[in-house]
């Protein structure tokens, strides 16, 4: 009908945003590969959201992988906060899902450069520490006070976490 595949609605959400949000991989691929002239992989809606962010929020792993390979990006600061909140709450399942399904990096730092691993250690959440270490969290990451998660374990008497932090224990999760 002559509609532009790159044009957005009233919130500047493009067809690529909508397809990614709903995990419609075949449509995402069609738009990216067949409509290169008008479709921007990193198009931002009025809220700063990108198609990759929409795919992440929906947990659509295949679409996340594809859009990342095509150069899609996100503002990771939003996801660092969500991951850190789950680590603080001791919700190992949510941490695992954000890392494996939404492809959130386990090494993002907040405004104080504290990672989810710093927070999980401080709160004594052993299961979360295991999940983060299995996902490749950096046990040497330094916050703005130059403290590592190991420093925090020693400072807060989390002696049971020291062996986990001293060696990257790989744990398999469903």
């Amino acid at each position: 009908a002559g509609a532009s595949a790159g044009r957005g609605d009233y919130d500047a959400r493009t067809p690529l945003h909508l397809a990614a949000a709903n995990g419609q991989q075949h449509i995402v691929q069609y738009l990216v590969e067949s409509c290169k002239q008008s479709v921007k992989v990193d198009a931002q809606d009025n809220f700063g959201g990108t198609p990759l962010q929409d795919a992440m929020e929906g947990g659509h792993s295949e679409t996340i992988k594809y859009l990342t390979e095509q150069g899609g990006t996100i503002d990771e600061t939003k996801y660092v906060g969500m991951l850190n909140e789950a680590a603080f709450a001791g919700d190992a399942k949510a941490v695992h899902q954000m890392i494996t399904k939404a492809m959130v990096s386990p090494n993002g730092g907040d405004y104080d450069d504290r990672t989810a691993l710093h927070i999980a250690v401080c709160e004594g959440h052993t299961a979360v520490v295991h999940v983060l270490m299995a996902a490749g969290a950096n046990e040497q990451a330094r916050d703005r006070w130059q403290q590592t998660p190991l420093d925090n374990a020693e400072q807060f008497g989390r002696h049971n976490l020291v062996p986990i932090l001293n060696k990257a224990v790989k744990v398999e999760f469903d």
Side-chain angles (χ1 to χ4, degrees):
S4 171
R7 187 157 184 228
D9 63 11
Y10 52 88
D11 280 331
R13 292 177 52 78
T14 66
L16 186 57
H17 280 93
L18 300 174
N22 290 293
Q24 297 296 317
Q25 180 65 22
H26 64 288
I27 296 172
V28 167
Q29 283 182 268
Y30 171 80
L31 290 167
V32 171
E33 295 169 13
S34 300
C35 305
K36 290 180 183 179
Q37 303 299 347
S38 61
V39 172
K40 294 180 185 175
V41 175
D42 259 357
Q44 288 190 359
D45 62 21
N46 287 343
F47 309 101
T50 63
L52 179 57
Q53 179 179 331
D54 289 335
M56 288 177 72
E57 289 174 0
H60 304 298
S61 301
E62 187 177 335
T63 304
I64 295 165
K65 183 176 186 260
Y66 177 77
L67 288 171
T68 301
E69 290 168 354
Q70 301 304 311
T73 61
I74 60 158
D75 175 7
E76 286 200 29
T77 57
K78 176 179 180 182
Y79 297 99
V80 168
M82 291 169 58
L83 187 64
N84 286 358
E85 284 292 324
F88 176 76
D91 192 341
K93 183 177 180 180
V95 168
H96 180 261
Q97 286 181 333
M98 279 190 254
I99 293 169
T100 59
K101 297 213 181 338
M103 310 290 219
V104 175
S105 169
N107 292 309
D110 65 9
Y111 52 88
D112 284 327
D113 290 331
R114 294 178 58 75
T115 65
L117 188 57
H118 282 96
I119 293 167
V121 166
C122 288
E123 294 301 314
H125 296 309
T126 305
V128 175
V129 171
H130 275 290
V131 169
L132 290 165
M133 292 298 290
N138 181 4
E139 70 278 2
Q140 297 300 315
R142 293 191 179 275
D143 62 19
R144 81 174 193 167
W145 300 280
Q146 298 304 306
Q147 298 290 303
T148 67
L150 183 58
D151 295 332
N152 292 152
E154 292 170 353
Q155 178 182 3
F156 292 104
R158 309 292 189 204
H159 304 292
N160 62 315
L161 299 177
V162 172
I164 301 167
L165 295 168
N166 280 328
K167 59 180 178 175
V169 177
K170 297 297 178 191
V171 180
E172 295 297 320
F173 293 92
D174 312 331

